[in-house]
Amino acid sequence: MRRPDQQTTTRPTPDAAPDTTSSPAPPAEATGPGTERLPDATGTRGPIGDLTTEAVLAPYLRRQAADFLRSLRLHHEHSAPADSGGHDAAAATRALRRAARRISGSLHTFRAALDPHWADQLRAELAWLSGILAREHAYANRLSRLVEALHQLSGPALPAARGVRAAGEGATSDAQGRAALGVGAARAGALLERRLTLARTRSHSAALQALGSSRFHAVADAVALLASDVPLAPGTAGGTAEALLEPAERAEQRLLAAVAALPPDDTEPYNEAQDAAWHQARLLLRLHRYAHEVVLGAVDPVLAAPGHALDLHRDAVEAAGAAAAAARTPRIAPATAYALGVLHADQRHDVEAARAVFRETWPYATALSAP
């Protein structure tokens, strides 16, 4: 972990709304190298050397397990036929996924301090559950995003062209483009709604089936046991919490290396082959944030804005992919295909914009300047 006395280059970060729902706490006190201060079982803070691994890692995992079980109970309550609170059910599902991700991420980062077989098995099951629950929400958001973008694109003006054209040629082309886009936008929206609504319905059915399966009940039972008992590796319980710093620092270094390896901002636009590297950086940032919560007892506020930018990047990439997939539908009208092509380009512009925001808000500037 980055110690309080280390110097980093930071920039002001705008307000954002990333997934940082753990209870906020003051940052670690800058008491010098190797003297991070962590919350103990009573909620007060003391030097990290005064605490054991069990006193730091186990309470965090138990809290997340309790949040998981609480969210599961709320999900059951708000999913009942007599309850019309769909919004509450969706909020409970998000909280359930949030706790599952934090448990899974901590099991991954601090695997050496835990029973490895138990950690690997539970982590795989939580990843399965989180993925199943995420799909319905993702399809709903994707449809809303694309329909709104189509509405904006089919307005009185098209987006500015990237190239420079003669004035007469540009005016004629834009007029023709607006006409074609106006004809195709409604059909493109209807096509996207059919495709994504069907995918959302199937995802909803799959989630309901998963939540009623014996596999899910086994996961819930394992998390319920975790809420009272954390299986640590032999000899770990009495060890010093300093041992947690090494895996947390490795998580941070993997993140910094991934960010340093991101392509520069002057590369060719629409290069979808680069998306995977950005997705990997997003996952590593999440693991680093969770490790920070465990070791320092609080979220890292400077990573809120870049984390939000990477979430927006993921959403734009997936929306662009959905538009491209719809455009490959057999026997669609040329105007529909044209509207979907414009929509795909618009979402790829959003991908580039999200990358730019990430670069502007990333607090460790040296990582982005590496060759």
Side-chain angles (χ1 to χ4, degrees):
M1 294 296 292
R2 191 170 298 274
R3 289 180 165 84
D5 62 313
Q6 287 180 290
Q7 298 297 318
T8 58
T9 303
T10 61
R11 299 187 180 94
T13 56
D15 292 337
D19 171 26
T20 54
T21 55
S22 291
S23 299
E29 296 176 15
T31 53
T35 58
E36 292 87 343
R37 302 176 71 84
L38 299 176
D40 60 20
T42 65
T44 60
R45 289 179 178 267
I48 187 172
D50 293 347
L51 299 175
T52 63
T53 295
E54 183 178 20
V56 174
L57 181 58
Y60 179 85
L61 288 173
R62 285 197 292 265
R63 285 195 302 272
Q64 300 306 323
D67 287 347
F68 180 98
L69 298 173
R70 187 181 307 109
S71 302
L72 180 59
R73 185 184 70 251
L74 292 174
H75 183 275
H76 286 329
E77 292 175 356
H78 295 300
S79 298
D83 192 328
S84 59
H87 176 75
D88 291 334
T93 300
R94 288 194 297 271
L96 188 65
R97 290 172 45 220
R98 194 159 50 237
R101 288 196 303 266
R102 278 171 164 77
I103 296 172
S104 179
S106 300
L107 296 181
H108 173 78
T109 300
F110 302 106
R111 179 180 183 272
L114 300 162
D115 180 316
H117 176 72
W118 167 82
D120 291 344
Q121 186 175 27
L122 182 55
R123 181 165 63 91
E125 293 302 286
L126 288 172
W128 161 76
L129 177 62
S130 183
I132 286 287
L133 296 178
R135 289 173 193 159
E136 180 184 0
H137 175 73
Y139 283 124
N141 281 359
R142 202 169 304 158
L143 176 59
S144 176
R145 179 190 183 98
L146 289 172
V147 169
E148 181 180 355
L150 266 178
H151 177 73
Q152 294 176 349
L153 291 171
S154 59
L158 289 174
R162 285 179 168 270
V164 177
R165 297 175 297 179
E169 177 188 353
T172 302
S173 177
D174 284 349
Q176 294 173 347
R178 280 194 296 272
L181 188 56
V183 171
R187 293 180 180 178
L191 175 60
L192 287 168
E193 186 166 2
R194 287 196 302 271
R195 291 172 60 92
L196 294 176
T197 299
L198 177 60
R200 180 186 180 184
T201 301
R202 289 174 174 171
S203 298
H204 179 72
S205 299
L208 291 179
Q209 184 177 4
L211 291 174
S213 67
S214 58
R215 182 178 183 181
F216 169 74
H217 288 298
V219 175
D221 289 343
V223 176
L225 291 175
L226 176 62
S228 59
D229 179 37
V230 178
L232 298 173
T236 300
T240 173
E242 287 276 0
L244 297 177
L245 289 177
E246 183 177 350
E249 287 174 346
R250 284 199 300 268
E252 182 183 53
Q253 291 306 313
R254 285 194 296 268
L255 168 63
L256 294 176
V259 172
L262 291 175
D265 56 2
D266 58 353
T267 54
E268 180 183 358
Y270 307 123
N271 190 344
E272 298 177 8
Q274 298 173 355
D275 293 342
W278 288 87
H279 293 329
Q280 179 68 6
R282 175 178 172 271
L283 293 176
L284 292 175
L285 176 57
R286 174 177 288 174
L287 288 175
H288 169 62
R289 284 173 43 221
Y290 297 163
H292 192 282
E293 290 180 13
V294 173
V295 173
L296 296 182
V299 298
D300 188 353
V302 302
L303 294 179
H308 185 53
L310 291 180
D311 287 343
L312 293 177
H313 177 274
R314 185 271 318 271
D315 292 345
V317 166
E318 293 180 347
R328 292 192 291 269
T329 302
R331 296 183 299 277
I332 60 174
T336 307
Y338 173 74
L340 290 169
V342 173
L343 181 61
H344 174 267
D346 174 72
Q347 294 303 303
R348 291 306 302 182
H349 291 165
D350 285 352
V351 169
E352 294 179 36
R355 292 178 181 180
V357 171
F358 175 81
R359 292 187 176 98
E360 292 170 0
T361 59
W362 179 246
Y364 311 128
T366 53
L368 289 176
S369 63

